Amino acid sequence: MTEVRREVFGQMPQEEGGGVVEKFVLKSDAVKVEILSLGCIIAALETKDRDGKFSDVVLGFDTLEGYTRKHPFFGAVVGRVANRIAKGRFTVEGKEHQLFLNNGPNSLHGGARGFDKVLWTPQVLPNGVCFFRLSPDGEESYPGDLKVWVTYTLSGGELAINYRAQTSKTTPINLTNHAYFNLAGQGSRDIYDHEISIEADSYLPVDDTKIPTGEVAAVQGTGFDLRQPVELGKHLQKFCLDGFDHNFCLQQAQARRLAARARHPPTGRAMEVYTTQPGIQFYTGNNLDGSLNGKGAVVYPKHSAFCLETQNWPDAVNKPHFPSALLRPGEEYNHTTWLLFNAA
């Protein structure tokens, strides 16, 4: 049985449009997750270690103020298009669209005011919560009225996140959740003792602005071969890597399949990621720099968390040989990701 509670988390500042931010607490015997109506943010996620002790394993803030200031998308649903679009430009049906550039020369995670920064309309379900919003035609320069539903449901140790959308005009769309995990517990110094594996035979090399070059490269014989579990710290050293911020190409299938596993041997906590999406962005918190005060007044230094963001391939709207990022009127965007937590 999953227990669902709702409570007031805070009030948005007037310059952000005001409005009450609610927090939804989903609780099973194995997992407790807290989700905000602002940006569908996963603000906390507690899971057991092998001794049955609960710890919060996602980065974030204790108060609303942290989330309304600039932060690296902690726990949020990002869109209309997650990840990067080269030069913030794309052409749909002969019309060029220019987006806001918020990541060097590129557009990242929906632009200046993406889905992470807006209030969503919640509906409580027996085992979770569904958030809805209408992204109006022209919002952040994207075409079409886009109706979006993001549904979180908890069953035992499994958190499911379903994304649905419908549009009035052809538009690119790519939705994901940007939770930052540390299975030792948020506030732990680094993730070097975590074991990671990703079910991908290929990955996308990127240029110096993190845009895919267009090549789909085999992982075989490279530092990107994570098909067998690696201990992250040793692996980064061995291949002289500063960290990961790359898309790994999953099997092209609409069915649920295993994408990645993360395990923290000292506590026994493990997480498996299943998805219907064609890619997963593995990010090792390279840009965290200790400047943000997180939950419990801890700071978050570089490599103190990892993200496994299930999504379409970055810049797919400008790369015809990548899986299509376009949603057309009359179609439905529908993807699910499942996070399964256990301890051994």
Side-chain angles (χ1 to χ4, degrees):
M1 278 298 292
T2 300
E3 180 194 322
V4 184
R5 258 193 0 258
R6 74 191 291 177
E7 54 197 61
V8 172
F9 186 67
Q11 180 87 26
M12 287 296 280
Q14 280 315 119
E15 62 272 19
E16 295 281 331
V20 173
V21 178
E22 289 188 282
K23 176 169 86 177
F24 297 82
V25 183
L26 316 184
K27 191 168 175 239
S28 71
D29 53 358
V31 171
K32 178 182 164 194
V33 59
E34 301 179 1
I35 306 158
L36 307 182
S37 57
L38 171 68
C40 306
I41 288 169
I42 296 178
L45 197 157
E46 294 178 22
T47 178
K48 291 182 201 175
D49 66 8
R50 69 166 65 84
D51 301 322
K53 178 177 169 285
F54 278 93
S55 283
D56 183 3
V57 297
V58 297
L59 276 51
F61 303 102
D62 289 322
T63 62
L64 178 59
E65 198 182 11
Y67 291 108
T68 56
R69 292 198 197 123
K70 188 172 165 56
H71 68 93
F73 306 96
F74 285 149
V77 165
V78 289
R80 207 178 269 200
V81 175
N83 216 308
R84 293 169 180 88
I85 293 179
K87 300 187 171 55
R89 279 205 296 267
F90 63 89
T91 299
V92 172
E93 294 176 343
K95 184 170 182 230
E96 185 175 272
H97 297 264
Q98 177 64 58
L99 309 173
F100 183 78
L101 305 180
N102 59 337
N103 186 248
N106 306 314
S107 183
L108 175 71
H109 293 331
R113 192 163 185 264
F115 288 5
D116 58 298
K117 296 178 181 71
V118 294
L119 280 178
W120 294 61
T121 304
Q123 181 192 353
V124 172
L125 306 173
N127 60 341
V129 57
C130 176
F131 297 99
F132 171 78
R133 83 173 295 251
L134 171 67
S135 170
D137 185 17
E139 181 176 61
E140 285 296 323
S141 304
Y142 284 101
D145 284 329
L146 186 75
K147 293 179 179 172
V148 192
W149 296 264
V150 176
T151 306
Y152 292 88
T153 47
L154 180 66
S155 175
E158 186 170 86
L159 177 67
I161 313 174
N162 173 257
Y163 307 90
R164 286 174 51 225
Q166 297 162 357
T167 186
S168 66
K169 294 179 185 170
T170 301
T171 184
I173 180 171
N174 184 22
L175 302 177
T176 191
N177 178 283
H178 209 313
Y180 286 67
F181 293 96
N182 187 320
L183 297 179
Q186 74 88 27
S188 300
R189 192 178 65 244
D190 59 54
I191 47 173
Y192 298 141
D193 57 355
H194 283 58
E195 288 177 357
I196 301 282
S197 61
I198 298 179
E199 302 284 313
D201 297 328
S202 53
Y203 78 102
L204 301 180
V206 293
D207 67 17
D208 55 9
T209 73
K210 300 280 192 294
I211 292 288
T213 61
E215 181 193 0
V216 180
V219 300
Q220 182 79 38
T222 74
F224 295 87
D225 192 345
L226 304 176
R227 292 173 293 184
Q228 295 300 316
V230 302
E231 189 180 320
L232 197 56
K234 287 180 180 163
H235 185 81
L236 293 176
Q237 267 185 321
K238 177 181 170 185
F239 288 96
C240 300
L241 295 168
D242 184 49
F244 289 93
D245 190 2
H246 294 80
N247 178 82
F248 287 75
C249 309
L250 305 173
Q251 278 179 322
Q252 302 291 301
Q254 279 287 303
R256 168 179 169 144
R257 62 213 180 283
L258 180 66
R261 272 198 185 93
R263 190 168 160 267
H264 184 245
T267 59
R269 280 195 193 92
M271 172 173 120
E272 292 177 343
V273 182
Y274 296 83
T275 190
T276 58
Q277 288 275 22
I280 188 165
Q281 186 87 2
F282 178 37
Y283 175 54
T284 48
N286 314 329
N287 297 324
L288 298 174
D289 58 8
S291 63
L292 289 172
N293 281 334
K295 290 181 268 195
V298 298
V299 295
Y300 298 135
K302 181 175 179 170
H303 296 165
S304 59
F306 65 89
C307 306
L308 287 166
E309 304 158 68
T310 53
Q311 54 183 267
N312 197 5
W313 301 3
D315 200 33
V317 71
N318 292 315
K319 306 268 196 300
H321 60 296
F322 282 11
S324 174
L326 295 180
L327 177 67
R328 294 174 172 83
E331 298 174 345
E332 183 169 84
Y333 176 93
N334 193 333
H335 279 288
T336 309
T337 293
W338 297 264
L339 305 175
L340 182 59
F341 297 91
N342 53 54

